[in-house]
mmCIF file with all atom_site columns, all heavy atoms in Angstrom:
data_model
loop_
_atom_site.group_PDB
_atom_site.id
_atom_site.type_symbol
_atom_site.label_atom_id
_atom_site.label_alt_id
_atom_site.label_comp_id
_atom_site.label_asym_id
_atom_site.label_entity_id
_atom_site.label_seq_id
_atom_site.pdbx_PDB_ins_code
_atom_site.Cartn_x
_atom_site.Cartn_y
_atom_site.Cartn_z
_atom_site.occupancy
_atom_site.B_iso_or_equiv
_atom_site.pdbx_formal_charge
_atom_site.auth_seq_id
_atom_site.auth_comp_id
_atom_site.auth_asym_id
_atom_site.auth_atom_id
_atom_site.pdbx_PDB_model_num
ATOM 1   N N   . ASN A 1 156 ? 11.882 5.256  26.863 1.00 98.00 ? 156 ASN A N   1
ATOM 2   C CA  . ASN A 1 156 ? 12.621 4.975  25.651 1.00 98.00 ? 156 ASN A CA  1
ATOM 3   C C   . ASN A 1 156 ? 12.324 3.592  25.087 1.00 98.00 ? 156 ASN A C   1
ATOM 4   O O   . ASN A 1 156 ? 12.169 3.417  23.870 1.00 98.00 ? 156 ASN A O   1
ATOM 5   C CB  . ASN A 1 156 ? 14.142 5.125  25.891 1.00 98.00 ? 156 ASN A CB  1
ATOM 6   C CG  . ASN A 1 156 ? 14.532 6.565  26.143 1.00 98.00 ? 156 ASN A CG  1
ATOM 7   O OD1 . ASN A 1 156 ? 13.796 7.483  25.844 1.00 98.00 ? 156 ASN A OD1 1
ATOM 8   N ND2 . ASN A 1 156 ? 15.719 6.756  26.745 1.00 98.00 ? 156 ASN A ND2 1
ATOM 9   N N   . ALA A 1 157 ? 12.224 2.592  25.970 1.00 98.00 ? 157 ALA A N   1
ATOM 10  C CA  . ALA A 1 157 ? 11.965 1.228  25.492 1.00 98.00 ? 157 ALA A CA  1
ATOM 11  C C   . ALA A 1 157 ? 10.589 1.124  24.849 1.00 98.00 ? 157 ALA A C   1
ATOM 12  O O   . ALA A 1 157 ? 10.426 0.495  23.774 1.00 98.00 ? 157 ALA A O   1
ATOM 13  C CB  . ALA A 1 157 ? 12.088 0.257  26.662 1.00 98.00 ? 157 ALA A CB  1
ATOM 14  N N   . ASN A 1 158 ? 9.599  1.734  25.481 1.00 98.00 ? 158 ASN A N   1
ATOM 15  C CA  . ASN A 1 158 ? 8.233  1.645  24.934 1.00 98.00 ? 158 ASN A CA  1
ATOM 16  C C   . ASN A 1 158 ? 8.094  2.467  23.637 1.00 98.00 ? 158 ASN A C   1
ATOM 17  O O   . ASN A 1 158 ? 7.394  2.049  22.713 1.00 98.00 ? 158 ASN A O   1
ATOM 18  C CB  . ASN A 1 158 ? 7.214  2.118  25.979 1.00 98.00 ? 158 ASN A CB  1
ATOM 19  C CG  . ASN A 1 158 ? 6.832  0.991  26.952 1.00 98.00 ? 158 ASN A CG  1
ATOM 20  O OD1 . ASN A 1 158 ? 6.149  0.054  26.574 1.00 98.00 ? 158 ASN A OD1 1
ATOM 21  N ND2 . ASN A 1 158 ? 7.324  1.095  28.186 1.00 98.00 ? 158 ASN A ND2 1
ATOM 22  N N   . ALA A 1 159 ? 8.738  3.590  23.579 1.00 98.00 ? 159 ALA A N   1
ATOM 23  C CA  . ALA A 1 159 ? 8.694  4.420  22.353 1.00 98.00 ? 159 ALA A CA  1
ATOM 24  C C   . ALA A 1 159 ? 9.375  3.679  21.201 1.00 98.00 ? 159 ALA A C   1
ATOM 25  O O   . ALA A 1 159 ? 8.891  3.676  20.063 1.00 98.00 ? 159 ALA A O   1
ATOM 26  C CB  . ALA A 1 159 ? 9.365  5.790  22.576 1.00 98.00 ? 159 ALA A CB  1
ATOM 27  N N   . HIS A 1 160 ? 10.484 3.033  21.506 1.00 98.00 ? 160 HIS A N   1
ATOM 28  C CA  . HIS A 1 160 ? 11.212 2.271  20.471 1.00 98.00 ? 160 HIS A CA  1
ATOM 29  C C   . HIS A 1 160 ? 10.352 1.117  19.955 1.00 98.00 ? 160 HIS A C   1
ATOM 30  O O   . HIS A 1 160 ? 10.286 0.885  18.741 1.00 98.00 ? 160 HIS A O   1
ATOM 31  C CB  . HIS A 1 160 ? 12.524 1.767  21.026 1.00 98.00 ? 160 HIS A CB  1
ATOM 32  C CG  . HIS A 1 160 ? 13.353 1.026  20.028 1.00 98.00 ? 160 HIS A CG  1
ATOM 33  N ND1 . HIS A 1 160 ? 14.005 1.650  18.986 1.00 98.00 ? 160 HIS A ND1 1
ATOM 34  C CD2 . HIS A 1 160 ? 13.635 -0.289 19.886 1.00 98.00 ? 160 HIS A CD2 1
ATOM 35  C CE1 . HIS A 1 160 ? 14.651 0.757  18.252 1.00 98.00 ? 160 HIS A CE1 1
ATOM 36  N NE2 . HIS A 1 160 ? 14.452 -0.441 18.795 1.00 98.00 ? 160 HIS A NE2 1
ATOM 37  N N   . ALA A 1 161 ? 9.689  0.430  20.877 1.00 98.00 ? 161 ALA A N   1
ATOM 38  C CA  . ALA A 1 161 ? 8.838  -0.697 20.465 1.00 98.00 ? 161 ALA A CA  1
ATOM 39  C C   . ALA A 1 161 ? 7.661  -0.200 19.621 1.00 98.00 ? 161 ALA A C   1
ATOM 40  O O   . ALA A 1 161 ? 7.284  -0.848 18.605 1.00 98.00 ? 161 ALA A O   1
ATOM 41  C CB  . ALA A 1 161 ? 8.302  -1.428 21.714 1.00 98.00 ? 161 ALA A CB  1
ATOM 42  N N   . LEU A 1 162 ? 7.077  0.922  19.980 1.00 98.00 ? 162 LEU A N   1
ATOM 43  C CA  . LEU A 1 162 ? 5.968  1.491  19.192 1.00 98.00 ? 162 LEU A CA  1
ATOM 44  C C   . LEU A 1 162 ? 6.460  1.831  17.788 1.00 98.00 ? 162 LEU A C   1
ATOM 45  O O   . LEU A 1 162 ? 5.750  1.622  16.801 1.00 98.00 ? 162 LEU A O   1
ATOM 46  C CB  . LEU A 1 162 ? 5.428  2.762  19.869 1.00 98.00 ? 162 LEU A CB  1
ATOM 47  C CG  . LEU A 1 162 ? 4.321  2.563  20.903 1.00 98.00 ? 162 LEU A CG  1
ATOM 48  C CD1 . LEU A 1 162 ? 4.133  3.863  21.707 1.00 98.00 ? 162 LEU A CD1 1
ATOM 49  C CD2 . LEU A 1 162 ? 3.030  2.170  20.230 1.00 98.00 ? 162 LEU A CD2 1
ATOM 50  N N   . ALA A 1 163 ? 7.656  2.379  17.674 1.00 98.00 ? 163 ALA A N   1
ATOM 51  C CA  . ALA A 1 163 ? 8.183  2.753  16.374 1.00 98.00 ? 163 ALA A CA  1
ATOM 52  C C   . ALA A 1 163 ? 8.466  1.518  15.515 1.00 98.00 ? 163 ALA A C   1
ATOM 53  O O   . ALA A 1 163 ? 8.187  1.518  14.305 1.00 98.00 ? 163 ALA A O   1
ATOM 54  C CB  . ALA A 1 163 ? 9.450  3.594  16.545 1.00 98.00 ? 163 ALA A CB  1
ATOM 55  N N   . ARG A 1 164 ? 9.035  0.499  16.117 1.00 98.00 ? 164 ARG A N   1
ATOM 56  C CA  . ARG A 1 164 ? 9.288  -0.758 15.369 1.00 98.00 ? 164 ARG A CA  1
ATOM 57  C C   . ARG A 1 164 ? 7.971  -1.357 14.862 1.00 98.00 ? 164 ARG A C   1
ATOM 58  O O   . ARG A 1 164 ? 7.883  -1.826 13.735 1.00 98.00 ? 164 ARG A O   1
ATOM 59  C CB  . ARG A 1 164 ? 10.054 -1.758 16.229 1.00 98.00 ? 164 ARG A CB  1
ATOM 60  C CG  . ARG A 1 164 ? 11.521 -1.391 16.475 1.00 98.00 ? 164 ARG A CG  1
ATOM 61  C CD  . ARG A 1 164 ? 12.227 -2.478 17.230 1.00 98.00 ? 164 ARG A CD  1
ATOM 62  N NE  . ARG A 1 164 ? 12.211 -3.739 16.516 1.00 98.00 ? 164 ARG A NE  1
ATOM 63  C CZ  . ARG A 1 164 ? 12.487 -4.926 17.056 1.00 98.00 ? 164 ARG A CZ  1
ATOM 64  N NH1 . ARG A 1 164 ? 12.806 -4.986 18.376 1.00 98.00 ? 164 ARG A NH1 1
ATOM 65  N NH2 . ARG A 1 164 ? 12.476 -6.038 16.353 1.00 98.00 ? 164 ARG A NH2 1
ATOM 66  N N   . TYR A 1 165 ? 6.990  -1.388 15.745 1.00 98.00 ? 165 TYR A N   1
ATOM 67  C CA  . TYR A 1 165 ? 5.652  -1.883 15.373 1.00 98.00 ? 165 TYR A CA  1
ATOM 68  C C   . TYR A 1 165 ? 5.076  -1.071 14.214 1.00 98.00 ? 165 TYR A C   1
ATOM 69  O O   . TYR A 1 165 ? 4.569  -1.625 13.215 1.00 98.00 ? 165 TYR A O   1
ATOM 70  C CB  . TYR A 1 165 ? 4.725  -1.840 16.577 1.00 98.00 ? 165 TYR A CB  1
ATOM 71  C CG  . TYR A 1 165 ? 3.327  -1.396 16.338 1.00 98.00 ? 165 TYR A CG  1
ATOM 72  C CD1 . TYR A 1 165 ? 2.351  -2.254 15.825 1.00 98.00 ? 165 TYR A CD1 1
ATOM 73  C CD2 . TYR A 1 165 ? 2.923  -0.072 16.596 1.00 98.00 ? 165 TYR A CD2 1
ATOM 74  C CE1 . TYR A 1 165 ? 1.063  -1.842 15.582 1.00 98.00 ? 165 TYR A CE1 1
ATOM 75  C CE2 . TYR A 1 165 ? 1.616  0.351  16.376 1.00 98.00 ? 165 TYR A CE2 1
ATOM 76  C CZ  . TYR A 1 165 ? 0.677  -0.534 15.879 1.00 98.00 ? 165 TYR A CZ  1
ATOM 77  O OH  . TYR A 1 165 ? -0.591 -0.123 15.627 1.00 98.00 ? 165 TYR A OH  1
ATOM 78  N N   . ALA A 1 166 ? 5.152  0.267  14.309 1.00 98.00 ? 166 ALA A N   1
ATOM 79  C CA  . ALA A 1 166 ? 4.601  1.127  13.273 1.00 98.00 ? 166 ALA A CA  1
ATOM 80  C C   . ALA A 1 166 ? 5.273  0.910  11.951 1.00 98.00 ? 166 ALA A C   1
ATOM 81  O O   . ALA A 1 166 ? 4.607  0.887  10.889 1.00 98.00 ? 166 ALA A O   1
ATOM 82  C CB  . ALA A 1 166 ? 4.710  2.597  13.709 1.00 98.00 ? 166 ALA A CB  1
ATOM 83  N N   . ALA A 1 167 ? 6.576  0.773  11.953 1.00 98.00 ? 167 ALA A N   1
ATOM 84  C CA  . ALA A 1 167 ? 7.326  0.540  10.706 1.00 98.00 ? 167 ALA A CA  1
ATOM 85  C C   . ALA A 1 167 ? 6.920  -0.799 10.081 1.00 98.00 ? 167 ALA A C   1
ATOM 86  O O   . ALA A 1 167 ? 6.732  -0.874 8.855  1.00 98.00 ? 167 ALA A O   1
ATOM 87  C CB  . ALA A 1 167 ? 8.821  0.575  10.974 1.00 98.00 ? 167 ALA A CB  1
ATOM 88  N N   . LEU A 1 168 ? 6.779  -1.814 10.885 1.00 98.00 ? 168 LEU A N   1
ATOM 89  C CA  . LEU A 1 168 ? 6.370  -3.137 10.349 1.00 98.00 ? 168 LEU A CA  1
ATOM 90  C C   . LEU A 1 168 ? 4.957  -3.073 9.745  1.00 98.00 ? 168 LEU A C   1
ATOM 91  O O   . LEU A 1 168 ? 4.682  -3.655 8.719  1.00 98.00 ? 168 LEU A O   1
ATOM 92  C CB  . LEU A 1 168 ? 6.401  -4.176 11.491 1.00 98.00 ? 168 LEU A CB  1
ATOM 93  C CG  . LEU A 1 168 ? 7.811  -4.660 11.885 1.00 98.00 ? 168 LEU A CG  1
ATOM 94  C CD1 . LEU A 1 168 ? 7.741  -5.430 13.201 1.00 98.00 ? 168 LEU A CD1 1
ATOM 95  C CD2 . LEU A 1 168 ? 8.386  -5.546 10.771 1.00 98.00 ? 168 LEU A CD2 1
ATOM 96  N N   . CYS A 1 169 ? 4.081  -2.324 10.424 1.00 98.00 ? 169 CYS A N   1
ATOM 97  C CA  . CYS A 1 169 ? 2.721  -2.161 9.909  1.00 98.00 ? 169 CYS A CA  1
ATOM 98  C C   . CYS A 1 169 ? 2.731  -1.526 8.518  1.00 98.00 ? 169 CYS A C   1
ATOM 99  O O   . CYS A 1 169 ? 2.143  -2.019 7.573  1.00 98.00 ? 169 CYS A O   1
ATOM 100 C CB  . CYS A 1 169 ? 1.865  -1.302 10.855 1.00 98.00 ? 169 CYS A CB  1
ATOM 101 S SG  . CYS A 1 169 ? 1.303  -2.148 12.331 1.00 98.00 ? 169 CYS A SG  1
#
Side-chain angles (χ1 to χ4, degrees):
N156 291 343
N158 276 289
H160 182 71
L162 272 166
R164 287 185 60 195
Y165 140 81
L168 284 167
C169 283

